[in-house]
Amino acid sequence: MSNLEDIGEFGLIERLTKGLKRSKQLKVGIGDDCAVFQLGDEQLLLSCDALIEGVHFRRDWASPEDIGHKAAAAALSDIAAMGGRALCMLLTLACPQNTDVAWLERLYQGVKALAESEHVAIAGGDTTASPDALMLDVTVVGVVTAHRPLCRSGTRPGDLIAITGYPGCSTLGLKALERGVDAPSHLREAHLRPRPKLLEGRYLADYPEVRAMIDVSDGLVQDLGHLARAGGVRINIETMRLPLHDDLVACAADMGLNPVDCALFGGEDYYLAFSMAPEQAEAMLEEVRRQLVLPVTVIGEASAGAPGVTVDGKKVVPGGYNHFQCPK
Ligand code: ADP
Ligand code: MG
């Protein structure tokens, strides 16, 4: 008999969902950032994401507005990963009976502010009691606007692997918050107020050269692992090419942490990782960099081989966040 610690989050999902009947209209089912459902000419994107007190956030350093913002941002990030436009969201709140109402209003304000800034309607939800921890679950609905949804599958041997933004900032921001260490505010913000990369996702999905995409929520190595397995390719990351923010390097040194490990294994940055055809890649990236406010960096390459991720050509011990498996 196996327990959750043995099989982990992804083993559990596989076990529970084995043998599910596929409907014809369900173009992409379990295993991608969103499900894709064909409705007439439209392709709907559907996803949900839960945030649990004590697992994803702590009330002592995150404001209620931060928590609301992050719940909505994490859910919307999956729409971004498919290159979609977000339409609306539904918010389920499970609260302990003694929760302060003004505090909950502030949390909702965080959700509302992000929804407004991203032009996403709040269409409903559910409200219930919870025995001790606060829980939020955000369901998002979007629509594919490019010529196809950008799935996790599709990477081919020889493709380049690129990321938007700076990896590792969120995890370092979290470490600074946990240790009560002073850190540049953008590192703390990266953890408390991630921005879903909706604009960037839609922009990238318009390029036929871009073949697969994922949002990095559980760490670069782990999430590129999903891309590698979905595409049936090996992905090698070159650490020399990782865009390490100067503040990340300085702050990691102050805290005795390895900045490369933060970038490889740190989660919750919600930047996008994608693969693209190598032909014309430089010209395309030049254009993308001009249009996007974030840097876009090639960090590695895909090749034929056993699906998985290597770092500088070597196998790595799986890192990243996995519910039910305690960090060693
Ligand atoms: P993400 O990190 O993009 O939010 P997850 O790692 O949470 O994605 O989930 C991976 C895939 O497994 C997704 O396609 C998701 O819809 C699916 N999934 C997760 N939990 C369940 C569940 N309990 N039942 C069915 N599908 C699930
Ligand atoms: Mg995702």
Side-chain angles (χ1 to χ4, degrees), residues 33 78 152 215:
D33 291 299
D78 282 322
R152 291 180 179 181
D215 65 317

Side-chain angles (χ1 to χ4, degrees), residues 2 4 6-21 29-32 152 226 229 322-324:
S2 48
L4 288 178
D6 299 325
I7 63 171
E9 176 187 354
F10 301 107
L12 177 66
I13 296 171
E14 207 179 308
R15 284 267 275 269
L16 296 178
T17 61
K18 204 163 49 190
L20 279 181
K21 294 233 170 6
I30 293 161
D32 220 302
R152 291 180 179 181
H226 294 310
R229 281 184 293 279
N322 189 324
H323 289 270
F324 315 119

Side-chain angles (χ1 to χ4, degrees), residues 17-289:
T17 61
K18 204 163 49 190
L20 279 181
K21 294 233 170 6
R22 284 280 293 269
S23 106
K24 248 192 171 169
Q25 285 165 289
L26 189 62
K27 299 296 172 192
V28 179
I30 293 161
D32 220 302
D33 291 299
C34 290
V36 181
F37 195 86
Q38 187 83 41
L39 200 63
D41 292 339
E42 296 286 3
Q43 293 197 307
L44 288 181
L45 296 170
L46 304 153
S47 181
C48 60
D49 223 70
L51 249 64
I52 318 288
E53 183 174 8
V55 179
H56 300 96
F57 66 87
R58 294 249 309 262
R59 291 197 219 185
D60 39 7
W61 62 63
S63 73
E65 290 87 350
D66 290 335
I67 297 164
H69 172 107
K70 191 162 175 178
L76 289 171
S77 179
D78 282 322
I79 301 274
M82 307 295 287
R85 179 159 69 90
L87 298 176
C88 65
M89 56 179 145
L90 298 104
L91 171 66
T92 294
L93 260 179
C95 335
Q97 218 164 15
N98 60 357
T99 315
D100 180 47
V101 176
W103 191 94
L104 285 171
E105 281 177 326
R106 288 180 55 194
L107 177 145
Y108 219 88
Q109 196 48 47
V111 180
K112 279 200 263 189
L114 183 69
E116 259 168 48
S117 71
E118 299 294 342
H119 310 288
V120 181
I122 299 176
D126 196 20
T127 306
T128 163
S130 162
D132 39 40
L134 188 93
M135 190 201 95
L136 296 91
D137 181 71
V138 180
T139 298
V140 282
V141 180
V143 69
V144 175
T145 55
H147 55 287
R148 41 76 213 251
L150 206 38
C151 295
R152 291 180 179 181
S153 56
T155 306
R156 299 181 205 164
D159 282 1
L160 301 178
I161 306 296
I163 58 171
T164 67
Y166 295 105
C169 291
S170 172
T171 206
L172 208 73
L174 171 64
K175 293 273 184 236
L177 288 163
E178 277 173 349
R179 297 181 189 186
V181 171
D182 215 22
S185 62
H186 74 94
L187 295 178
R188 288 195 308 271
E189 290 276 299
H191 183 71
L192 297 172
R193 297 248 171 177
R195 184 178 65 81
K197 308 300 182 297
L198 286 158
L199 251 180
E200 291 84 345
R202 282 177 66 183
Y203 184 77
L204 287 166
D206 275 335
Y207 283 93
E209 294 91 338
V210 177
R211 296 215 242 248
M213 190 152 73
I214 190 167
D215 65 317
V216 180
S217 52
D218 294 335
L220 186 59
V221 169
Q222 180 156 308
D223 285 327
L224 282 183
H226 294 310
L227 215 65
R229 281 184 293 279
V233 293
R234 175 147 294 265
I235 289 177
N236 183 50
I237 303 170
E238 292 175 52
T239 50
M240 285 294 291
R241 301 180 91 168
L242 286 172
L244 300 179
H245 196 287
D246 289 347
D247 290 339
L248 174 103
V249 175
C251 226
D254 286 349
M255 285 194 271
L257 298 168
N258 180 340
V260 173
D261 281 353
C262 292
L264 289 174
F265 303 114
E268 298 193 302
D269 281 303
Y270 299 102
Y271 56 87
L272 300 172
F274 59 97
S275 59
M276 72 191 139
E279 303 84 22
Q280 317 289 324
E282 258 324 302
M284 183 201 122
L285 286 174
E286 279 297 301
E287 197 174 275
V288 172
R289 287 186 190 112

